[in-house]
Amino acid sequence: MSKQIQAIRGMNDILPDQSGRWQALEQVIRQLVASYGYSEIRMPIVEQTELFKRSIGEVTDIVEKEMYTFDDRNGDSLTLRPEGTASCVRAGNEHGLLYNQQQRLWYMGPMFRHERPQKGRYRQFHQVGVEAFGLGGPDIDAELIVMTARLWKALGLSEYLTLEINSLASNEARANYRAALTDYLQAHEAELDEDSVRRLASNPLRVLDSKNPAMADMLSRAPKLSEYWDEESRSHFTALCERLDAVGITYVHNERLVRGLDYYNRTVFEWVTESLGAQGTVCAGGRYDGLVGQLGGKHTPAVGFAMGLERLVLMLEHTQSLKVPDPVDIYIAAMGDSAELPALQVAEKLRDHVPHLRVMQHCGGGNFGKQLKRADKSGAALAIILGEAEVQAGTYTLKYLREARDQETVDWTTLLERVLILQSEKED
Ligand code: ATP
Ligand code: MG
């Protein structure tokens, strides 16, 4: 026997017993973004490497060590997208969707980062991203956060998630802060770990992100970004807080929240949980007013977020708070040759008459016991059995698989009635 080929480490199959939960989650998300008037955009999975270098930043974890980059047959350097914002801005610029316009967009799909695979961290993972262009005020920042809060409610996850917000202020304010922070960190260089020494040189704000407990005390005494905020950023932040207060969304102002990508300014936020161990951020975003210009477009304010679907699915597996329907409502069994065609006919007739009904027809013959076993395994609530007697009489035998209810033999009209009731109960 030849050796089986395995999937690439950190790139997972989503098997049939998991895909129902994924679909249910995706369905809730589609309804959510639609209810705020957002339109879907679909971008390619591969882009020119330059796009990510220029947007995410050369000295970020993603660009320094996580990208899947390769030369294609023309010798062009291409990269599997590590995130969606850069592609979305590229597409918006390329098709003239952004300048002097307002766009509310969302997308969903796989992203690729060469990280060490562990629970909640994979090399191919899935994000839903939401981006709003052409709006510079705190109102749209609030809208995005309110939208995510509504999602947690719909998924039954609210009690497990905490909102952290911060403002990275203007480029100028951040540069002043960076200088002060660098001075402070240099004075405490002996206390920095290896990673932080590296970051101190390249991207000092990222040192604040460190989870190293040995550095916690020293970092808590570092200068605070909010002491360097410019006036406009301060009032933007205050107005955002007012809006969150007005709709009862609680948040923590985390002074050390800086995000790992270079393009953010002003508002940044993360939804974090304790229930996933170290991989605690399920949704993260912020304002990136400079990016559209940086990628060759005309200046356009923008704000967005991305959430990791694997982490949400892990939470949902744990809470069981999202209803995942069985894939089949009705199983049709045919006993004997004479029942085969009528069984096919009634299956098609049911699909004609009852929208969204999921009918599985038994294939491959076999005795009564075998067919009913399959019916049970399918998850269906009801089996419709057709034998010679039913075919002769033009009737159907109904066997209820999930309730203690007597089997009955009925005509087409009654069958349809029963199925419609079943279907309406399911939709409740
Ligand atoms: P982390 O700090 O966990 O590495 P990040 O700051 O790199 O996250 P973002 O680039 O902001 O993450 O991506 C947004 C969301 O996408 C994250 O909050 C997370 O839910 C998810 N995500 C990011 N990287 C991965 C990954 N390798 N595997 C699974 N999900 C991921
Ligand atoms: Mg990361």
Side-chain angles (χ1 to χ4, degrees), residues 265-335:
N265 66 295
R266 288 201 180 158
T267 307
V268 288
F269 68 94
E270 288 192 0
W271 286 95
V272 295
T273 180
E274 313 239 292
S275 69
L276 291 175
Q279 276 55 254
T281 306
V282 299
C283 174
R287 181 159 281 287
Y288 50 94
D289 294 328
L291 185 60
V292 175
Q294 210 174 305
L295 290 177
K298 294 234 173 61
H299 177 82
T300 305
V303 56
F305 67 79
M307 53 197 171
L309 295 187
E310 280 78 4
R311 293 183 191 178
L312 285 176
V313 168
L314 280 168
M315 289 183 78
L316 291 169
E317 273 169 10
H318 178 70
T319 59
Q320 296 286 319
S321 50
L322 179 64
K323 215 173 135 209
V324 181
D326 284 313
V328 175
D329 300 313
I330 290 184
Y331 196 92
I332 300 191
M335 310 295 167

Side-chain angles (χ1 to χ4, degrees), residues 54-253:
R54 242 210 266 173
S55 54
I56 298 168
E58 296 266 8
V59 289
T60 55
D61 284 353
I62 294 179
V63 172
E64 274 185 344
K65 48 187 189 195
E66 295 174 0
M67 293 207 301
Y68 278 92
T69 296
F70 60 96
D71 288 345
D72 79 354
R73 287 172 192 276
N74 301 327
D76 297 328
S77 179
L78 307 183
T79 294
L80 299 184
R81 63 180 186 192
E83 58 112 44
T85 303
S87 305
C88 188
V89 171
R90 195 266 312 137
N93 279 338
E94 192 169 332
H95 301 284
L97 304 179
L98 305 183
Y99 181 58
N100 245 342
Q101 298 176 64
Q102 295 181 1
Q103 294 287 353
R104 285 172 159 95
L105 305 175
W106 73 279
Y107 49 82
M108 167 152 64
M111 307 292 161
F112 303 84
R113 297 184 194 178
H114 196 276
E115 304 197 66
R116 192 169 68 79
Q118 53 198 292
K119 183 182 166 196
R121 193 177 292 287
Y122 312 99
R123 291 181 173 175
Q124 174 173 332
F125 61 100
H126 298 78
Q127 280 185 344
V128 165
V130 178
E131 320 279 359
F133 295 96
L135 294 158
D139 47 0
I140 186 70
D141 301 10
E143 174 172 292
L144 292 179
I145 294 175
V146 168
M147 180 194 289
T148 52
R150 179 174 295 278
L151 178 62
W152 314 142
K153 208 161 149 195
L155 297 173
L157 297 178
S158 303
E159 62 182 294
Y160 306 98
L161 288 165
T162 310
L163 173 63
E164 298 189 348
I165 59 175
N166 195 16
S167 175
L168 299 181
S170 64
N171 294 348
E172 197 190 336
R174 211 159 52 254
N176 292 337
Y177 174 64
R178 188 178 294 121
L181 181 67
T182 304
D183 286 347
Y184 177 85
L185 293 174
Q186 274 166 350
H188 292 82
E189 192 149 3
E191 295 161 65
L192 297 181
D193 59 21
E194 198 186 320
D195 225 22
S196 301
V197 171
R198 200 172 49 82
R199 283 175 171 166
L200 173 57
S202 59
N203 196 349
L205 263 64
R206 288 283 281 154
V207 176
L208 296 175
D209 231 13
S210 168
K211 309 254 162 22
N212 185 346
M215 288 167 45
D217 187 50
M218 182 271 292
L219 288 179
S220 73
R221 282 178 286 109
K224 299 220 168 358
L225 179 50
S226 60
E227 292 159 7
Y228 292 79
W229 282 353
D230 53 294
E231 230 9 82
E232 275 180 56
S233 296
R234 186 177 300 278
S235 57
H236 188 109
F237 186 78
T238 308
L240 169 63
C241 294
E242 273 169 14
R243 284 176 164 79
L244 297 178
D245 293 337
V247 287
I249 294 175
T250 50
Y251 51 85
V252 177
H253 177 196

Side-chain angles (χ1 to χ4, degrees), residues 300-374:
T300 305
V303 56
F305 67 79
M307 53 197 171
L309 295 187
E310 280 78 4
R311 293 183 191 178
L312 285 176
V313 168
L314 280 168
M315 289 183 78
L316 291 169
E317 273 169 10
H318 178 70
T319 59
Q320 296 286 319
S321 50
L322 179 64
K323 215 173 135 209
V324 181
D326 284 313
V328 175
D329 300 313
I330 290 184
Y331 196 92
I332 300 191
M335 310 295 167
D337 290 348
S338 65
E340 296 257 331
L341 299 185
L344 170 61
Q345 285 164 334
V346 73
E348 283 302 298
K349 212 161 138 188
L350 280 170
R351 294 185 185 108
D352 285 341
H353 280 81
V354 188
H356 312 303
L357 186 68
R358 294 150 325 159
V359 182
M360 182 177 274
Q361 176 148 32
H362 183 84
C363 287
N367 63 28
F368 189 70
K370 180 178 160 189
Q371 293 200 29
L372 272 194
K373 222 180 195 162
R374 292 230 178 248

